[in-house]
Every structure is written in C-alpha cells, then in structure tokens.
Amino acid sequence: MWAGVFPAVTTKFTADDRLDHAEMERCFGLQMEAGCDGIIVCGSLGEGPMLSPDEKIEVLKTAQKVAGKKPVLLTVNEAGTREAASIARRAAKEGANGLMVVPSPIYHTNAEETVAALRAVAEAGDLPVMIYSNRLAYRVDVTVDQMEELASDKRFVAIKESSDDIRRSTEIINRLGNRYDLFTGVDNLAFEALSVGAIGWVAGLVTAFPRETVAIYQLMKQGRREEALAIYRWFRPLLDLDVSTYLVQNIKLAEVFAINTNDRVRMPRQPLSGERRKAVEKIVKDALAVRPTLPQF
C-alpha cells in the first residue's frame, strides 16, 4: 500500500509560538518537488507531543493541501489510549490517508497492553495504520510476535522499524513475508535496511536534504547500489544527527542552512546554542561544501 520516502516533517512556528502555515507549505512543498512519496506529520521530529489536538489537525490540513494525491499520515502519540482514539477519529474525519501509531510514550506498556492499545486506535480511526516500533526512544518494543498477532487486522498495513537492530528487518520478512509494508525509521541505518528488503524510508534529514534522500532510495530501487552508497557515505555524518536526544534541534538547524528556514522549537526545547550548536553547524557546513552531484534516476 505504501512505499518510498515519507518525510517525518518538522512543524514550523512563528516568533510568537503559533503555527506558521505559510512556512510549512513552503517546506513541505520542497519535499514533494524532490519526489517524496508521502508526508507524516506531528511525529517526534514534528514535536507532536507539544502540539494540541487542534494544532495537530491544522498541521494535517496544511500537509494535505501540499501533498495533493500523495498520502498524508497523522502520528498518534498520545499518552492515553482514550486520547489516542479521539485524535484518530478526528484524523479520519479530516480525510487523513492513515495513521502512524506510537505506543504510549509515558506509560511503558507490556505486550498485552501494547496490542490492545494499537487495536483500540485502529478501530477508532478505521484507517490504515503504520505501527511505529521504537524501543530505544519509547521503551516499548512492538515485537515480531506482536506484529504477527496484529496481522489478522487488515488495518495494520505497515511497520516503521526503529529498533536500531538491522537484524529485525530480516526477522520481520522471514516471519511475515510481505504482509506489512516495511519502512526503516532510523536515518543512519537506511541503506542497510533498504539492502535487506525495506521498501520505504520514514526519513528525518530529508526535510533539509530531500533530493539526496530520494536519490538514495530510487537508486537502491533500481539496483544501482554503488551509486546509492556513495551518496549515503557523504550523507552519514548528517544522518547521525537524527539519532540524538536533540534530533529536533539538530535537524531544524540543518534546515536553516540547507533550505533557508528557521530553527524555532516549542518549549521546553530550545534551539541549540554554544558548543553543541557549533558542532552541528560544522557538520552541516562541511557536508554542504562537498555536496555531491546527483545522478539521473
């Protein structure tokens, strides 16, 4: 059902901390122009937990305006299942193409609770669901056993695999074949995941470097591994910025230099400063100085 590069887009704010829809339209448009295949809004990179339910729906609508016929997924990452079900219903009412569902980031569910919560959200929204498994960030592992248990419900269509263990991708395919559309969710494991069978990439640094991200995916799809690997090796220092407590600030700072936007974040986050900011600036500027010429694909 889904494949390709799906940016987990950043949410843009005005100087007085309101949603900046005009800037989001511009930035989301760059993703579509580069050939991305969908948009995922209000995730971790999109500062979803810092947005009100109304704001999440507003961001969804802005993405839909830009994406046209390409799918737009709303991330469901509420603390409670009741609230998660509520936003899922609202997303369905507003025409979302699907949901990316995170188990509660506050309460660390056991296996039985994880499956029950995912089912409740899927039933409430009655939309296609991408299961987001990220045991490092959220301390809840949606295991292959749980994926198999959920496989009887056709609403669960995809996995965002972010366990940080590349072996998991092969385990999913060995156990479940092509039952789920398998996406990688770790930027600096993307080449490896695409090499072993992932058909999609929920990407972070794509918001600053959309054409390079799409090029890697398309070249891998065409079997042009060495060309993709050359770009990926250049990209790796940037992709590492995604795997950090400061991924939002890191990537928004990369956007400042790459697509000429701002790095405003919502408190309690604050933009990078001091030595940390200097270090990220150097990574981005060094990469920009040797930005590769992309092949035709």
Side-chain angles (χ1 to χ4, degrees):
M1 182 174 182
W2 294 324
V5 177
F6 280 45
V9 290
T10 56
T11 301
K12 292 301 178 185
F13 302 106
T14 63
D16 60 353
D17 198 36
R18 298 182 182 183
L19 295 177
D20 189 341
H21 291 285
E23 185 61 0
M24 282 189 279
E25 282 189 34
R26 186 184 76 84
C27 294
F28 298 173
L30 295 175
Q31 306 299 302
M32 296 296 97
E33 290 168 13
C36 291
D37 301 283
I39 295 177
I40 300 177
V41 297
C42 305
S44 302
L45 183 55
E47 298 173 78
M50 283 66 177
L51 303 176
S52 71
D54 287 346
E55 286 178 320
K56 291 183 180 185
I57 297 301
E58 289 181 42
V59 175
L60 171 68
K61 289 180 177 179
T62 296
Q64 289 171 322
K65 181 178 178 181
V66 176
K69 294 182 179 180
K70 293 182 178 180
V72 179
L73 280 61
L74 177 71
T75 305
V76 176
N77 50 13
E78 276 62 29
T81 302
R82 179 185 62 177
E83 291 75 17
S86 176
I87 195 70
R89 283 189 287 267
R90 290 188 66 181
K93 184 178 179 181
E94 296 298 339
N97 300 104
L99 306 170
M100 184 171 75
V101 182
V102 181
S104 172
I106 302 299
Y107 174 70
H108 305 138
T109 51
N110 64 29
E112 182 181 357
E113 291 168 331
T114 300
V115 169
L118 290 168
R119 281 181 170 154
V121 175
E123 289 170 5
D126 197 26
L127 289 170
V129 170
M130 178 183 290
I131 300 168
Y132 184 10
S133 179
N134 188 334
R135 62 189 178 190
L136 296 184
Y138 302 115
R139 288 183 276 181
V140 173
D141 188 8
V142 184
T143 65
V144 181
D145 285 343
Q146 292 166 38
M147 294 174 195
E148 186 171 27
E149 188 174 352
L150 293 166
S152 60
D153 187 334
K154 293 182 180 179
R155 287 173 291 210
F156 293 105
V157 301
I159 306 292
K160 179 184 176 184
E161 210 302 286
S162 299
S163 69
D164 204 40
D165 183 351
I166 193 61
R167 292 170 295 190
R168 175 67 65 84
S169 295
T170 298
E171 290 164 6
I172 292 169
I173 294 169
N174 281 352
R175 178 85 67 88
L176 297 163
N178 63 357
R179 166 61 186 81
Y180 292 105
D181 299 331
L182 180 60
F183 281 66
T184 179
V186 182
D187 268 2
N188 61 4
L189 279 177
F191 180 87
E192 293 83 351
L194 293 169
S195 296
V196 297
I199 64 169
W201 180 359
V202 178
L205 267 297
V206 66
T207 65
F209 295 93
R211 296 191 182 280
E212 288 82 358
T213 307
V214 170
I216 290 170
Y217 177 82
Q218 289 295 338
L219 290 168
M220 289 296 287
K221 185 178 178 181
Q222 294 173 20
R224 297 161 64 181
R225 181 182 180 279
E226 293 303 318
E227 292 172 275
L229 182 57
I231 302 168
Y232 185 69
R233 286 173 173 161
W234 163 84
F235 212 175
R236 258 298 302 274
L238 292 162
L239 297 176
D240 290 347
L241 298 175
D242 181 57
V243 187
S244 166
T245 303
Y246 300 96
L247 81 158
V248 176
Q249 295 97 316
N250 289 346
I251 292 175
K252 282 194 166 182
L253 185 55
E255 289 179 325
V256 168
F257 297 104
I259 62 171
N260 193 31
T261 187
N262 64 74
D263 64 339
R264 299 185 189 111
V265 289
R266 179 161 280 179
M267 291 182 69
R269 286 189 177 91
Q270 294 186 4
L272 296 181
S273 60
E275 291 304 312
R276 182 170 281 115
R277 187 179 186 91
K278 289 180 184 177
V280 174
E281 282 190 10
K282 184 178 188 306
I283 290 169
V284 177
K285 289 179 179 178
D286 286 353
L288 287 170
V290 292
R291 196 170 191 171
T293 299
L294 300 180
Q296 295 294 317
F297 51 84

